[in-house]
Amino acid sequence: MTATAGLDGMHAAPDWQQRESLLLAPWAMHAADSAGRVHAETPHAFRSPYQRDRDRIVHSAAFRRLAHKTQVFTGYHGDYHRSRLTHTLEVTSIARTLARSLALNEDLVETLALAHDIGHPPLGHAGEDTLSELLADEGGFNHNAQALRIVELLEIRYPNFPGLNLSREVLDAQATRKKDGTAPAPLLEAQVVDAADSIAYDTHDADDAVELGLVTMDELLEIPLVAEAAARACDRYGTLAGSELRRAALHEVVEFEVAELVTRSRATIASLGIESVAQVREVFRGHNGMPGVRIVSHAPAVTAGKRILEQFLFQRVYRSDRVLAVRVPAQRKLTRLFEWYCLHPDEMPASFRGRIERFGVRRSVADYIAGMTDRFLDRDHDLRIGAF
Ligand code: MG
């Protein structure tokens, strides 16, 4: 066999498949092993299935609207803080670092991270709580379940089927987030996105809250996780104060948590002898009398430290007067607009009207309202019902 014939043989597999074979660990999800899509499609000449999934998310209307959806703070609070979109990009950034450090499939991780919050309605958790009450008799409303409805049904991108026709592994990972026990055990690619989500919101909500004056840096420094990070930052840079201290300390929290996750996950993979995706799932569920193990997880002491920060944020930020003062009137607007569309379903766009027969008026109205941005909801409310 000549050298050329050998190269020809190598090129039998697509470039992306060769690249994944070279770079990914045996515990990573290889696109060549994907369970495929509901609607069969011709393979792309140079993009892997998960690269196509990522691009479908980025080009979706639901993803673009994240720019104008509340994470915690709304436009009323200023323009420093994170929106749902910038939160998503921070999660993606952290998740890709974790993925590359663990030799996981970065394309799949990027897809999962970019898609993880697309099911959020306007007004953040306030909007979700309100929709859930309004749909109490129809199974409630959950942003993780809604993300699946968006990618399987509500996004219209192709003439021959509804939804984005994403790979099975992307749908399974999103189903796992519903936590109703119906999804298969999460891949490591899904586990790093969950961990990155938590690292991102803990730290950026703390950053936003200090910048917006809801809490002081001194109060934040009473939390051991932040105090220890601030001490390390001052060791590196010298004495810091004010916004320099805030930025350096919270950056250090992210750095510490990511490093701890990478080190611990690698050690767990080695100690459990993980050699395949099947084993990742097996140890997650627990087997041979062993309890289940989430491989990508913090040490108990770090989890406990994060919990102190999260309880502080819950009491002092998410439940603060300034956040609630915006939340309550916004929830009233959402409720009024929801009931108005239930009485006037013909005023919805044709695609939403067309689903009423199958899903009922209230679910179809919820799909329409959940897709709105904060400002569209505001304007539509004032247009339909009047500003008061
Ligand atoms: Mg999130």
Side-chain angles (χ1 to χ4, degrees), residues 110-349:
E110 197 177 2
T111 306
L112 301 180
L114 291 172
H116 88 279
D117 267 354
I118 60 169
H120 273 285
L123 317 176
H125 288 284
E128 180 165 25
D129 292 347
T130 305
L131 280 174
S132 196
E133 281 171 28
L134 291 166
L135 293 172
D137 295 335
E138 277 110 316
F141 181 93
N142 169 280
H143 72 270
N144 289 313
Q146 190 67 11
L148 272 178
R149 275 179 81 75
I150 289 170
V151 299
E152 292 186 299
L153 179 76
L154 301 178
E155 277 287 331
I156 308 289
R157 297 279 308 170
Y158 301 97
N160 44 347
F161 49 76
L164 301 177
N165 199 29
L166 302 177
S167 301
R168 183 78 254 161
E169 294 71 34
V170 179
L171 301 178
D172 284 349
Q174 192 54 39
T176 308
R177 294 179 69 86
K178 287 195 294 182
K179 297 191 173 73
D180 61 2
T182 58
L187 298 167
L188 292 180
E189 281 79 0
Q191 294 184 31
V192 298
V193 174
D194 284 345
D197 191 20
S198 169
I199 294 172
Y201 61 65
D202 281 359
T203 48
H204 68 46
D205 290 350
D207 183 63
D208 287 349
V210 175
E211 177 67 22
L212 292 172
L214 270 79
V215 298
T216 66
M217 193 61 207
D218 284 345
E219 288 174 307
L220 209 54
L221 287 170
E222 288 171 19
I223 296 163
L225 187 72
V226 181
E228 289 158 16
R232 287 193 299 275
C234 289
D235 279 348
R236 189 181 315 155
Y237 297 112
T239 305
L240 298 170
S243 53
E244 272 190 344
L245 176 62
R246 184 190 80 231
R247 283 192 290 265
L250 290 170
H251 171 251
E252 181 62 31
V253 173
V254 175
E255 189 71 27
F256 165 73
E257 291 184 3
V258 169
E260 195 263 345
L261 266 186
V262 170
T263 309
R264 195 160 186 276
S265 305
R266 284 177 176 166
T268 308
I269 287 168
S271 68
L272 296 177
I274 302 294
E275 289 288 346
S276 70
V277 167
Q279 278 179 291
V280 168
R281 291 190 151 140
E282 197 175 74
V283 303
F284 185 90
R285 287 191 298 262
H287 66 300
N288 299 339
M290 301 276 285
V293 176
R294 178 179 276 266
I295 291 172
V296 183
S297 61
H298 293 290
V302 178
T303 303
K306 278 171 67 66
R307 193 153 299 141
I308 295 171
L309 173 58
E310 286 164 3
Q311 283 166 350
F312 173 82
L313 291 171
F314 184 81
Q315 285 157 8
R316 296 294 312 280
V317 181
Y318 309 145
R319 289 279 175 262
S320 67
D321 290 346
R322 276 172 67 189
V323 168
L324 291 182
V326 176
R327 180 183 164 115
V328 174
Q331 284 179 306
R332 266 190 230 121
K333 281 193 175 187
L334 192 154
T335 302
R336 281 198 293 257
L337 194 60
F338 178 90
E339 299 294 2
W340 189 89
Y341 275 113
C342 286
L343 292 171
H344 306 91
D346 287 348
E347 297 293 326
M348 290 196 297

Side-chain angles (χ1 to χ4, degrees), residues 61-71 73-75 81-88 120-124 369-379:
F63 181 77
R64 283 195 299 283
R65 292 192 192 121
L66 294 175
H68 300 289
K69 287 195 172 191
T70 294
Q71 174 67 21
F73 307 104
T74 73
H81 60 267
R82 276 69 173 180
S83 68
R84 192 63 67 179
L85 178 64
T86 62
H87 159 71
T88 294
H120 273 285
L123 317 176
I369 288 187
M372 294 179 179
T373 61
D374 293 9
R375 63 184 184 183
F376 187 98
L377 172 81
D378 223 32
R379 286 179 199 161

